[in-house]
């Protein structure tokens, strides 16, 4: 159910790590829980973030939720398509990334959950 090559946070973000860069979005479980998304706020390109910092927002017709960064570093790209089409996350949560991060401490990625561990978090509630 959750891509094996991704890593996950307990706050329901996913991370795809390629060439040392982390691409971050919210999990399918998160988008399902939130419902129809109507707004996505990504952190600004160039912003320096600290591991676990709330740096973005996803908002649905029901509620809003913070997006946390899984590692410290610099935001190097944002998915600008989501500003006009936040529903892309509902359509495919793993294709609709929110931002990309160049980590200042790549070792922080090592503490993220694998798919099996995240499945247990999602099942718990």
């Amino acid at each position: 159910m959750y891509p094996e090559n991704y890593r996950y946070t307990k706050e329901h973000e996913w991370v795809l790590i390629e060439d040392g860069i982390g691409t971050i979005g919210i999990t399918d479980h998160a988008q399902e829980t939130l419902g129809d998304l109507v707004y996505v706020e990504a952190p600004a390109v160039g912003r320096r973030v600290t591991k676990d910092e709330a740096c973005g927002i996803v908002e649905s017709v029901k509620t809003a939720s913070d997006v946390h960064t899984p590692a410290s570093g610099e935001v190097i790209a944002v998915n600008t398509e989501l500003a006009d089409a936040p529903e892309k996350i509902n359509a495919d949560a793993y294709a609709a990334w929110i931002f990309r991060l160049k980590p200042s401490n790549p070792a922080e990625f090592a503490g993220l959950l694998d798919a099996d561990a995240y499945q247990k978090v999602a099942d718990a509630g």
Side-chain angles (χ1 to χ4, degrees), residues 15-76:
V15 183
L16 178 60
I17 303 160
E18 297 175 304
D19 299 323
I21 302 297
T23 300
I24 294 113
I26 64 168
T27 65
D28 191 57
H29 173 78
Q31 71 79 24
E32 194 173 285
T33 301
L34 288 167
D36 294 335
L37 294 177
V38 296
Y39 177 74
V40 176
E41 180 181 305
V45 172
R47 178 175 170 182
R48 295 212 166 270
V49 293
T50 304
K51 182 178 177 7
D52 298 326
E53 176 183 344
C55 63
I57 298 170
V58 287
E59 188 176 314
S60 72
V61 293
K62 296 193 291 188
T63 189
S65 182
D66 289 332
V67 176
H68 298 86
T69 181
S72 300
E74 180 181 353
V75 175
I76 59 169

Side-chain angles (χ1 to χ4, degrees), residues 4-5 7 10 15-16 23 25-26 28 30-31 43-44 49-50 55-56 71 85 92 98 101 111 113-114 118-119:
E4 292 289 330
N5 59 326
R7 292 295 173 255
K10 291 179 182 174
V15 183
L16 178 60
T23 300
I26 64 168
D28 191 57
Q31 71 79 24
V49 293
T50 304
C55 63
D92 186 347
I98 297 173
L101 180 76
L113 304 172
D114 65 15
Y118 179 72
Q119 179 72 56

